[in-house]
Amino acid sequence: MKKLIIEGGRELSGSVRIGGAKNSAVALIPATILTKGKCVIRNVPDISDVKILLEMMHELGSKITYKDEILTVDNKNVENVAISEEYASKIRASYYFMGALLGKFHHAEMSCPGGCVIGSRPIDFHIDAFKRMGAHIVENGGNYKMDAAELQGRDIFFDFPSVGATINVMFAAVLAKGKTRIINAAREPEIANVASFLNSMGARIMGAGSGTIEIDGVKELGNGEVDVIPDRIEAGTYLIIGALLGRDFKITDIVEEHIYSLISKLKDAGCNLKVEGDVITINKTKNLKAVNIKTTVYPGFPTDLGQPMSTFLTQCEGESSFEETIYENRLRHIPHLNNMGADIKAFDKTALIRGRTPLVGRKVKATDLRAGASMLVAGMIADGTTIVYNIEHLLRGYEKIVDKLNNVGANIRLIDE
Ligand code: UD1
């Protein structure tokens, strides 16, 4: 079990570089299964979700090198073995093996994907789309067996623009017969990143990043290369920390457009921040004002930043509201914030946060990945020492976070016991 011990109240000066996006990397790695060509993926973040995916690729027979954030993949000898439950249950993104294996081999076997316990997180959109494209799927106690004589391009409409289902349908469609159209596709930047990787291999994907994506199936794919885009959720988390503790604090390798929703809310709260190209300078601001946050799909306020933002709102004068619209259970961190001195009333998927309340160091738990980020921010601004248990969740998604923060003045220890 890993825990963080945080001495609060340290100002941060200097610069932090944002790494590659977790949610891109976890899709780009399984995407390589679709080609026998060689692939190069640059700016791959050093996080535990990536390590698990690389182990899964190894099980399939993939030859991989990973050095200095550059991943080279040679899948010439990849075999289509069943993905073991042990791996699938560790990581939500294991669902990408369904689309990639089905697209490549017309056969996939694996159990339900794991991931953070933030709601029911069904995969019915993925399964329905594969069926519509010609797959025969049998589910038995959470194990899926999928077969297709051939996959046929179809029109796929999603009731909700799901990130995972959009990418999975792209995987199933790139080698399918004919044209696939995804209508009400997710528009998150990670989707365009994955499409540009597949197109570099010779796929024909148009419109990724918009609500309608068209994919003309091709016979085979060749070599591919891509740079993982900067992680907008990591960037957003550092912006929130900088707004509370920065003193000439710079965050580099940011794509402003990708986190405009957060920047706009921070400005509304009165934050002092300056954007210069891909660098943002952000400093601690006194007299922050309450703002209302409602999470939604891109380009709206990201659900993955709702929890760290709720910690920020405890430091704003007046009553802020934080409404989560994507998942059912994204308020499990609230009792821990209240335990540290916050004044938050949680109702179903909305929290009313009354500020400004000083926070004090306590023993708290990271109930999921982004709740871990919320607790980290809380510990950094609290008076005294905070211990955050179950911090494995945080390390799944934030690259070298303890080193990055200590390098700019934080006092955080990661203890493995
Ligand atoms: C991805 C991200 C996650 C982020 C989320 C929303 C990855 C690996 N994870 O998760 O960090 O929080 O997007 O931005 O990229 N839904 C269904 N049926 C489905 C699929 C989804 O009902 O088949 C619902 C979900 O229950 C949820 C919503 O759609 O309410 C969003 O899900 P989705 O966009 O698919 O998120 P994930 O791919 O799980």
Side-chain angles (χ1 to χ4, degrees):
M1 292 294 269
K2 294 187 170 122
K3 64 182 179 191
L4 288 183
I5 302 181
I6 307 168
E7 303 301 336
R10 304 290 196 274
E11 285 188 330
L12 305 182
S13 308
S15 77
V16 166
R17 179 188 161 264
I18 299 308
K22 161 186 165 292
N23 287 348
S24 273
V26 297
L28 293 167
I29 294 168
T32 64
I33 289 173
L34 289 158
T35 180
K36 280 201 164 137
K38 295 204 169 77
C39 294
V40 180
I41 310 176
R42 291 176 289 263
N43 198 30
V44 177
D46 183 6
I47 52 175
S48 61
D49 269 13
V50 163
K51 290 199 183 95
I52 294 167
L53 277 176
L54 295 185
E55 284 175 30
M56 291 167 88
M57 294 293 294
H58 186 73
E59 294 275 300
L60 293 169
S62 184
K63 271 175 57 190
I64 294 182
T65 65
Y66 180 36
K67 199 166 173 268
D68 299 333
E69 305 199 328
I70 299 174
L71 195 68
T72 65
V73 187
D74 181 346
N75 285 336
K76 215 167 45 219
N77 300 318
V78 155
E79 283 178 40
N80 188 7
V81 296
I83 304 287
S84 73
E85 190 183 345
E86 184 206 336
Y87 279 120
S89 62
K90 277 187 188 162
I91 166 175
R92 173 86 180 149
S94 55
Y95 52 39
Y96 290 132
F97 285 97
M98 292 180 170
L101 291 172
L102 193 62
K104 172 75 184 205
F105 298 106
H106 294 177
H107 173 84
E109 260 181 83
M110 65 174 281
S111 59
C112 268
C116 288
V117 188
I118 51 179
S120 57
R121 307 191 85 178
I123 54 166
D124 53 323
F125 300 163
H126 309 230
I127 301 295
D128 290 349
F130 296 150
K131 283 185 181 163
R132 186 176 272 266
M133 295 174 76
H136 177 69
I137 301 179
V138 180
E139 196 235 314
N140 190 354
N143 287 305
Y144 292 90
K145 203 167 161 201
M146 312 184 171
D147 286 288
E150 73 170 12
L151 288 170
Q152 176 71 50
R154 291 273 184 249
D155 279 358
I156 308 287
F157 167 76
F158 291 134
D159 285 332
F160 181 88
S162 153
V163 173
T166 300
I167 292 178
N168 242 340
V169 170
M170 291 197 317
F171 288 171
V174 283
L175 295 171
K177 213 167 155 214
K179 185 190 281 292
T180 300
R181 280 197 315 158
I182 310 175
I183 299 135
N184 200 20
R187 291 180 288 161
E188 273 68 1
E190 291 76 20
I191 290 169
N193 200 198
V194 174
S196 96
F197 183 39
L198 292 169
N199 284 345
S200 80
M201 297 175 195
R204 290 185 41 77
I205 305 174
M206 281 80 57
S210 76
T212 303
I213 301 179
E214 289 194 6
I215 305 143
D216 286 324
V218 296
K219 284 223 158 55
E220 61 175 7
L221 298 173
N223 298 343
E225 62 173 318
V226 71
D227 291 292
V228 182
I229 55 171
D231 194 307
R232 61 199 165 91
I233 307 302
E234 185 193 14
T237 306
Y238 284 106
L239 277 172
I240 289 168
I241 293 172
L244 297 169
L245 292 165
R247 191 159 55 89
D248 199 21
F249 181 55
K250 290 189 191 317
I251 307 166
T252 71
D253 291 48
I254 283 197
V255 182
E256 180 192 8
E257 188 194 337
H258 291 176
I259 42 163
Y260 195 74
S261 55
L262 172 68
I263 291 175
S264 164
K265 290 291 175 183
L266 290 176
K267 283 183 176 165
D268 289 350
C271 279
N272 167 7
L273 68 86
K274 193 165 80 196
V275 184
E276 287 164 300
D278 66 355
V279 179
I280 298 187
T281 307
I282 186 156
N283 292 312
K284 178 174 174 168
T285 313
K286 286 197 180 121
N287 307 323
L288 290 167
K289 295 189 294 276
V291 285
N292 295 335
I293 305 298
K294 182 174 179 172
T295 67
T296 181
V297 294
Y298 187 84
F301 195 95
T303 171
D304 288 347
L305 281 176
Q307 288 157 302
M309 189 65 178
S310 64
T311 305
F312 171 86
L313 297 177
T314 67
Q315 302 307 302
C316 299
E317 282 301 331
E319 188 174 85
S320 302
S321 79
F322 157 43
E323 186 184 349
E324 165 66 28
T325 73
I326 313 279
Y327 295 113
E328 297 104 356
N329 293 332
R330 276 233 138 140
L331 300 185
R332 296 195 309 155
H333 64 299
I334 300 290
H336 295 279
L337 281 178
N338 281 340
N339 182 24
M340 294 178 75
D343 177 1
I344 307 177
K345 290 193 175 55
F347 312 87
D348 191 19
K349 294 197 278 183
T350 302
L352 295 179
I353 303 171
R354 181 154 283 285
R356 167 182 181 261
T357 49
L359 300 184
V360 285
R362 290 271 189 263
K363 292 182 178 171
V364 292
K365 224 164 88 178
T367 50
D368 58 71
L369 165 54
R370 307 301 171 185
S374 160
M375 291 300 118
L376 171 78
V377 181
M380 290 181 72
I381 57 173
D383 193 17
T385 307
T386 298
I387 305 181
V388 190
Y389 294 94
N390 289 20
I391 209 65
E392 284 82 358
H393 285 300
L394 184 79
L395 304 176
R396 283 187 33 223
Y398 287 91
E399 182 184 51
K400 299 189 182 108
I401 187 155
V402 174
D403 291 344
K404 283 187 181 181
L405 287 170
N406 283 343
N407 285 343
V408 288
N411 183 341
I412 305 174
R413 278 175 295 146
L414 175 64
I415 310 283
D416 199 348
E417 50 184 26

